Amino acid sequence: MTLTLTVSDEVRDLAPGFTHLAVEAHGLVNGPSNEDSSALLDDAVRRLTDRLGGRAPHEDPHLAAWRAVYSAFGAKPSRTRNSAEALAKRALSDGGLPRINLLVDLYNAVSVAHLIPVGGEDTDRIAGGMRLVRATGDEPFATAAGGEPVVEHPEPGEVVWHDDEGVTCRRWNWRQGVRTRLTEESVNAVFLLERLAPMTSAELDAAGAELAESLEKLSPGARITVHPAR
């Protein structure tokens, strides 16, 4: 894999059953959301509704496990929901899922359908490798507030993904930074699918395979590799 992804021992101790699967893609074609990506999102909402059977998203066993892990590092899961729960909650609301761009729509659809946190990063904007660690609190996190760029810092002990320039995603998979997010100009990317028990390895693999298939349909000439879960 061109990009190195590592998980610190501190994070492994916090969530011993955690694994992540990476889908690496080069030569992608992105652009504005269209009818096809919108149809994927609509289908994902239908699958989510069938899966939950009237339950709230946080009652799903996998999302309940994420809530427990968030609490373990000091986050309040009802206020800062993991990305899969936040998307699922939005999917079931009157406003529905947002349409961002083709690549983001694709991975959001997989996240909602499988109730698994999925993130996408522009590998051309990542500095060095990516590491999942417990923050010191000094790391910079480039984000936006009120339409203006701002730099925040994580709480000490917070679980974050970061590279050589700073935090790329806060509270594990809660909020992505603006620096490495996928834009309509992105052509190279890595997608991270993150699993805790009781989600099985087979379920994680199925979600990764679905994302890879969607990417291949979107960008037939792209080089796409599904890296085994670690």
Side-chain angles (χ1 to χ4, degrees):
M1 186 174 183
T2 305
L3 175 70
T4 59
L5 302 169
T6 57
V7 180
S8 71
D9 290 341
E10 285 185 321
V11 173
R12 295 287 187 195
D13 290 342
L14 183 71
F18 169 73
T19 56
H20 67 277
L21 180 150
V23 179
E24 186 179 12
H26 298 272
L28 293 166
V29 176
N30 201 8
S33 302
N34 60 21
E35 290 184 1
D36 291 338
S37 70
S38 187
L40 282 176
L41 290 169
D42 289 341
D43 181 63
V45 175
R46 287 191 290 270
R47 292 163 66 184
L48 170 68
T49 302
D50 290 344
R51 178 184 182 126
L52 290 176
R55 295 174 299 160
H58 69 267
E59 295 177 286
D60 177 85
H62 189 222
L63 298 190
W66 277 106
R67 281 198 164 209
V69 166
Y70 268 46
S71 295
F73 67 79
K76 295 180 178 177
S78 60
R79 292 180 57 190
T80 55
R81 297 177 177 88
N82 71 81
S83 64
E85 182 181 335
L87 269 180
K89 184 176 175 64
R90 192 164 181 179
L92 299 175
S93 70
D94 291 340
L97 288 170
R99 274 57 174 166
I100 308 297
N101 60 55
L102 294 175
L103 291 177
V104 175
D105 290 353
L106 260 58
Y107 78 71
N108 279 350
V110 170
S111 177
V112 168
H114 292 265
L115 281 182
I116 181 173
V118 183
E121 304 284 355
D122 187 325
T123 51
D124 292 327
R125 297 172 180 270
I126 293 171
M130 288 178 59
R131 299 171 291 282
L132 187 65
V133 303
R134 301 198 70 172
T136 63
D138 296 326
E139 302 90 342
F141 176 67
T143 185
E148 297 295 326
V150 296
V151 175
E152 298 177 352
H153 298 276
E155 298 291 331
E158 181 181 322
V159 176
V160 298
W161 280 102
H162 78 97
D163 65 3
D164 291 350
E165 287 191 16
V167 173
T168 57
C169 194
R170 285 196 59 188
R171 295 193 180 115
W172 210 314
N173 46 44
W174 167 63
R175 179 181 290 172
Q176 185 182 34
V178 298
R179 175 170 55 88
T180 60
R181 66 185 176 184
L182 295 175
T183 69
E184 292 182 17
E185 288 71 44
S186 298
V187 294
N188 302 309
V190 62
F191 302 87
L192 293 178
L193 296 83
E194 300 181 302
R195 159 196 168 268
L196 296 170
M199 175 175 273
T200 67
S201 296
E203 289 171 321
L204 174 63
D205 290 342
E210 182 175 327
L211 177 58
E213 181 180 354
S214 292
L215 292 170
E216 288 166 356
K217 289 179 179 178
L218 172 67
S219 306
R223 303 188 313 278
I224 298 169
T225 305
V226 179
H227 296 278
R230 296 190 294 121

